[in-house]
Amino acid sequence: MTETPAIEVNDLTVAYREQPVLWDIDLVVRPRALTAIVGPNGAGKTTLLQTILGLVRPAAGMVRVLGHPIRKVRGRVAYVPQRGSVDWDFPTSVLDVVLMGTYQRVGWLRRPGSEERDRAMAALEKVGMEAFRDRQIRALSGGQQQRVFLARALVQEAELYLMDEPFQGVDARTERAIVEVLRELRDRGDTVVAVHHALQTVPEYFDDVVLLNVRRIASGPVEDVYTEENLRTAYGGRVPFLQGVTDVPVTEPPTP
């Protein structure tokens, strides 16, 4: 029996003001794996995540999540947005931010109880932020804020986690802690898809990779598709990732 993909995308096109951001994307993400979405600025990485989540309406194509339209499985999917897209001036505590992850199950009109608070504290402990439970979220460093948003996703007890640059702006210690949490999710049978920009850590952190630049350049197991040839196609020109350089020149996306 064929296993149901975690995500299946067919003939997907997304356009802003008639300019294609994603063009004719076909993609299958296998379950129980850590998958990176990699590509230059303007490649459509965030747009792809948001379209999978149903936050962006495609011009054409179909997306199925866990075998269904996203509206039928939204409660089984957790999302960690880019840290820069969040209004950190909102006056709320770390614990309250994490408790927001329980609203999908308890409902927005019922206050989280002791069970939800215990789950929230367990999630904060997992990311090393339990001592900050009463701190205002805006008073934290960038890496600490990222950990809190990861904890909020963890309490959702989802099957699929979509993350937009979870390592952005964090220190090495926080990055290692996040990687460990992602591996634990995979090992318990969940799927993680993350937009990632540090090319040299893709083989270390991820099982699969999607190379994207408006079109899907290649996707599959890292050992099969994460090659210098595919990276040059995705980024254009010379890609010195083999020397650990992550500042890849940004190029114009391929013409649809």
Side-chain angles (χ1 to χ4, degrees):
M1 184 175 179
T2 304
E3 192 170 28
T4 301
I7 300 169
E8 187 175 7
V9 175
N10 296 116
D11 302 325
L12 181 69
T13 294
V14 177
Y16 293 146
R17 298 192 179 98
E18 300 184 357
Q19 176 66 33
V21 180
L22 296 171
W23 183 262
D24 200 21
I25 302 289
D26 289 313
L27 176 65
V28 173
V29 174
R30 66 183 173 116
R32 297 184 300 280
L34 301 180
T35 297
I37 301 176
V38 173
N41 294 337
K45 302 183 296 294
T46 295
T47 299
L48 178 59
L49 282 193
Q50 292 178 342
T51 305
I52 292 168
L53 286 161
L55 302 177
V56 171
R57 179 176 293 183
M62 180 273 290
V63 176
R64 296 184 76 82
V65 177
L66 303 172
H68 302 276
I70 183 63
R71 66 180 182 278
K72 293 188 176 182
V73 294
R74 196 174 298 278
R76 297 160 62 187
V77 180
Y79 177 46
V80 179
Q82 280 189 24
R83 196 173 63 82
S85 68
V86 177
D87 180 8
W88 297 106
D89 290 330
F90 190 75
T92 188
S93 72
V94 164
L95 181 58
D96 285 339
V97 169
V98 179
L99 283 170
M100 290 176 188
T102 69
Y103 291 170
Q104 185 82 28
R105 294 179 182 271
V106 305
W108 288 91
L109 299 180
R110 185 167 79 84
R111 292 180 62 84
S114 59
E115 179 182 349
E116 287 76 32
R117 295 177 76 85
D118 288 345
R119 281 171 44 207
M121 285 304 299
L124 283 171
E125 184 177 0
K126 187 176 286 292
V127 300
M129 290 296 294
E130 67 275 17
F132 296 82
R133 55 174 290 176
D134 297 320
R135 191 80 58 88
Q136 289 289 303
I137 189 71
R138 62 188 173 188
L140 302 182
S141 70
Q144 290 169 337
Q145 290 171 342
Q146 196 76 329
R147 289 190 189 210
V148 172
F149 263 62
L150 179 57
R152 187 184 71 167
L154 293 178
V155 299
Q156 293 181 239
E157 297 180 348
E159 297 173 45
L160 172 64
Y161 293 82
L162 302 179
M163 304 185 179
D164 199 348
E165 298 203 25
F167 305 113
Q168 183 183 44
V170 304
D171 58 28
R173 178 171 173 268
T174 296
E175 185 163 316
R176 287 193 298 270
I178 292 174
V179 169
E180 194 58 38
V181 170
L182 301 191
R183 288 172 176 162
E184 288 181 20
L185 291 173
R186 175 199 58 196
D187 292 346
R188 77 181 191 189
D190 298 327
T191 304
V192 177
V193 179
V195 171
H196 190 59
H197 70 279
L199 297 181
Q200 82 276 15
T201 57
V202 169
E204 179 185 358
Y205 293 172
F206 295 94
D207 307 310
D208 295 353
V209 63
V210 177
L211 291 170
L212 187 71
N213 192 349
V214 181
R215 297 179 184 271
R216 181 185 66 85
I217 306 302
S219 61
V222 169
E223 61 268 24
D224 294 338
V225 305
Y226 199 65
T227 65
E228 189 169 6
E229 180 182 359
N230 284 336
L231 281 164
R232 282 177 173 167
T233 302
Y235 284 87
R238 178 174 173 271
V239 183
F241 78 102
L242 293 174
Q243 286 72 45
V245 177
T246 60
D247 295 328
V248 179
V250 175
T251 62
E252 291 298 318
T255 303

